[in-house]
Amino acid sequence: MTILEKFNFEFTGGNSASLPIQAHYAGVDGVNNRWLSKLAPAGTTGTFAAVKGGLVLSSEGSAPTRTTDENGVPIMRFDGVDDRLRLSGLSGFSTITLVARVNGSTDGTFDGIVHTGPTHASRHSSVSTQARLVYAGASPVYPSTGNTTGPKYHVITLVRTATEGRWGIDSLTGTITGGSSTLHSEITLGRAAGTDYGAVDILEVLTWPTALSVGQMGLVYAALKEHYGSATVN
């Protein structure tokens, strides 16, 4: 990364048409939407504007707050009771990646992180550290080593293809039976489905119109971990 690229990323979040993805995501370019918590003003509630794509996630009921975590890292914090942000009517995406953690439990059943129509991710139960991933109505997958709890953040990726669903939690990846060629057209943060809200802290959200391969998912994870540091990202 050149000095100019580093300056651009650190101070603008990489919000330049020519720089952000090549510098930050190991050549996995093509991101069509990107939200960065650190670029939202402290104390912001109700909306979360994209630094790439220009779209805005808006509150649907109670809103999360842009604050800082115990180490001073800027985050969007969801209370796990009724906080949520939602965006519908998107032109479509096949891949969504979040840098997030479940920070406590208030639901007792599923602590929702993200929902994108027929695909969602949550932490399972108030006592388990397992992640629960669902795709297109298929039976939930519970990766035995997939953890979405704090104190560190996790890189969570959900991919939709015509034949299967792919998922990634940090360096762990897998597939979920069933697929759809229809692109996602909505995002809900802080809730998986119904009343499955999550006490979630989110650093960053990205979407790609294309379905990332397992290799590309690994590159994105490695680049995000390098950017935020191993003390922050698992």
Side-chain angles (χ1 to χ4, degrees):
M1 182 183 294
T2 67
I3 293 175
L4 177 60
E5 288 171 334
K6 183 173 179 62
F7 178 88
N8 175 72
F9 188 83
E10 292 299 328
F11 290 92
T12 73
N15 188 22
S16 163
S18 61
L19 296 179
I21 308 309
Q22 293 294 339
H24 190 188
Y25 302 104
V28 183
D29 57 3
V31 164
N32 58 349
N33 295 290
R34 183 181 183 200
W35 293 266
L36 276 172
S37 293
K38 70 178 182 180
L39 295 186
T44 297
T45 61
T47 60
F48 192 9
V51 299
K52 183 176 179 60
L55 300 176
V56 177
L57 286 154
S58 299
S59 62
E60 185 183 62
S62 182
T65 301
R66 209 306 244 141
T67 183
T68 55
D69 69 8
E70 65 276 10
N71 296 312
V73 177
I75 58 171
M76 194 66 70
R77 172 158 286 172
F78 297 75
D79 65 6
V81 178
D82 55 4
D83 283 357
R84 61 196 183 279
L85 290 175
R86 189 170 186 272
L87 175 64
S88 60
L90 286 154
S91 58
F93 62 94
S94 290
T95 302
I96 185 168
T97 293
L98 301 92
V99 184
R101 68 180 182 183
V102 173
N103 187 26
S105 177
T106 58
D107 183 272
T109 305
F110 302 114
D111 301 298
I113 299 170
V114 61
H115 187 272
T116 58
T119 306
H120 73 257
S122 61
R123 189 185 73 153
H124 176 55
S125 85
S126 59
V127 295
S128 172
T129 60
Q130 285 179 274
R132 173 179 184 262
L133 302 115
V134 179
Y135 185 85
S139 298
V141 171
Y142 299 91
S144 59
T145 55
N147 185 4
T148 56
T149 59
K152 288 189 177 183
Y153 296 83
H154 302 272
V155 178
I156 303 164
T157 297
L158 296 168
V159 182
R160 181 177 189 163
T161 77
T163 58
E164 67 182 16
R166 298 187 196 120
W167 56 265
I169 302 173
D170 301 327
S171 61
L172 187 71
T173 61
T175 60
I176 302 174
T177 303
S180 172
S181 58
T182 303
L183 298 177
H184 298 294
S185 60
E186 65 180 56
I187 299 171
T188 300
L189 301 178
R191 184 182 70 182
T195 58
D196 297 334
Y197 294 95
V200 181
D201 296 335
I202 295 178
L203 293 176
E204 182 166 343
V205 182
L206 306 108
T207 67
W208 283 260
T210 55
L212 297 192
S213 67
V214 171
Q216 288 174 318
M217 291 162 61
L219 290 173
V220 170
Y221 163 63
L224 285 165
K225 183 173 182 177
E226 180 179 2
H227 172 70
Y228 286 106
S230 58
T232 300
V233 172
N234 187 59

